Amino acid sequence: MSPEESPAQKPKRNFVVAIDGPAGAGKSTIARHLARHYGLLNLETGAMYRAFALKALRSEVPVNDASALERLAAETDIQLESGETENRVLLDSEDVTGQIRNQTVTDAASRVSIHPAVRASMVKRQQEMATKGGVVMEGRDIGTVVFPDAEVKIFLDAAPEVRGMRRYDQTAQKGTPSAPPEEVIRDLRARDERDRNRADSPLRPATDAFLLDSTNLTLDEVLKEAESAVDRFLAKTSTSLQSQG
Ligand code: DC
């Protein structure tokens, strides 16, 4: 049985908006907006893989050593706290929010996340997070594996060149030194390759996801489309987001 067909989630959960898509598609911006607009918790699952990658790097566990990573995951605590602008990420109670976005961790996160045992451990924690309140959860496998029965699923995509340039511009705006655009795009393609081709939970749209390609859309247009997807669900069910069980 594929994960998408598996029976209902074990923990009793609340309303879920699942946002999946490749790196640089704008998931975080959309997720943040929807969370604010509908009063939901905004949870970035990529930050969990990043925090775990940081732990592997610090512990000098090779990113290709599946059994050592499995043991490491079992003894690692990762907490995400929904914030106004970004998630606060606690790794074994240490705030590592500012340490997980550099190139070394980005690359390691992409590599540790191919291992099924690492994924299973993260997915379990993610499912538990939706027992506390309604969530907008973003990642690569939220609509296919973590919450195959999510109320709303959005798959956000854009051409690699567009995503790469957006990433480059974001970094430049922050005043942080960045690799040249060609390198950013090349790196993004390499991560896409790994995400889409891994055996366990590859990046792909759920069959019932709303596909939103932002290549030729302004941010405003994308936000409106995403809101419409949630509104369509609400109109269909006439339910309040907070009280969904
Ligand atoms: O979204 P991000 O770039 O912060 O994610 C970091 C890495 O984690 C990315 O290379 C893919 C992986 N990831 C994943 O495999 N599944 C998720 N649900 C979220 C992220």
Side-chain angles (χ1 to χ4, degrees):
M1 191 189 294
S2 83
E4 215 170 334
E5 294 162 342
S6 64
Q9 304 304 309
K10 305 287 178 301
K12 174 123 177 84
R13 65 162 181 82
N14 294 275
F15 185 85
V16 174
V17 178
I19 303 189
D20 291 303
K27 298 186 298 292
S28 301
T29 312
I30 308 302
R32 207 163 34 236
H33 172 81
L34 292 181
R36 235 180 254 150
H37 192 81
Y38 295 101
L40 302 166
L41 295 172
N42 169 24
L43 299 170
E44 299 170 45
T45 59
M48 298 174 71
Y49 289 93
R50 286 171 180 273
F52 181 67
L54 177 64
K55 171 118 174 201
L57 289 167
R58 284 177 172 176
S59 318
E60 297 183 9
V61 171
V63 292
N64 57 2
D65 187 338
S67 9
L69 289 170
E70 180 172 5
R71 284 194 298 277
L72 192 68
E75 61 189 44
T76 301
D77 179 49
I78 298 174
Q79 303 287 336
L80 279 189
E81 288 177 6
S82 185
E84 260 299 291
T85 49
E86 63 176 354
N87 281 186
R88 186 159 171 260
V89 190
L90 300 175
L91 172 63
D92 300 322
S93 305
E94 176 194 350
D95 187 341
V96 294
T97 313
Q99 299 176 53
I100 56 171
R101 303 276 163 198
N102 61 54
Q103 195 47 47
T104 311
V105 174
T106 299
D107 186 68
S110 165
R111 294 171 193 278
V112 296
S113 63
I114 69 167
H115 298 291
V118 172
R119 301 203 67 80
S121 147
M122 299 298 155
V123 167
K124 188 163 171 281
R125 298 163 208 229
Q126 289 154 11
Q127 289 171 337
E128 282 163 8
M129 286 174 185
T131 58
K132 296 181 190 139
V135 298
V136 180
M137 193 172 278
E138 59 139 304
R140 305 290 190 287
D141 58 344
I142 311 304
T144 50
V145 176
V146 184
F147 293 112
D149 55 353
E151 282 73 15
V152 180
K153 299 181 188 179
I154 298 173
F155 191 88
L156 192 62
D157 207 349
E161 297 74 18
V162 172
R163 290 187 279 120
M165 279 315 292
R166 285 180 191 157
R167 268 287 146 89
Y168 175 79
D169 290 341
Q170 271 168 3
T171 318
Q173 268 167 22
K174 281 188 202 151
T176 326
S178 166
E182 315 78 69
E183 210 175 297
V184 176
I185 294 168
R186 201 178 334 124
D187 171 62
L188 210 112
R189 282 186 191 277
R191 289 210 285 146
D192 279 3
E193 275 289 303
R194 270 197 293 274
D195 287 348
R196 291 186 205 272
N197 294 317
R198 64 180 173 228
D200 184 6
S201 320
L203 170 67
R204 62 180 173 81
T207 47
D208 53 350
F210 171 56
L211 304 181
L212 183 46
D213 188 318
S214 71
T215 307
N216 298 309
L217 299 180
T218 63
L219 175 59
D220 240 29
E221 288 170 329
V222 181
L223 294 178
K224 288 226 163 62
E225 290 277 355
E227 265 180 40
S228 307
V230 180
D231 289 342
R232 275 197 296 278
F233 171 80
L234 294 177
K236 218 166 51 193
T237 58
S238 322
T239 0
S240 127
L241 293 184
Q242 308 296 342
S243 64
Q244 265 275 323

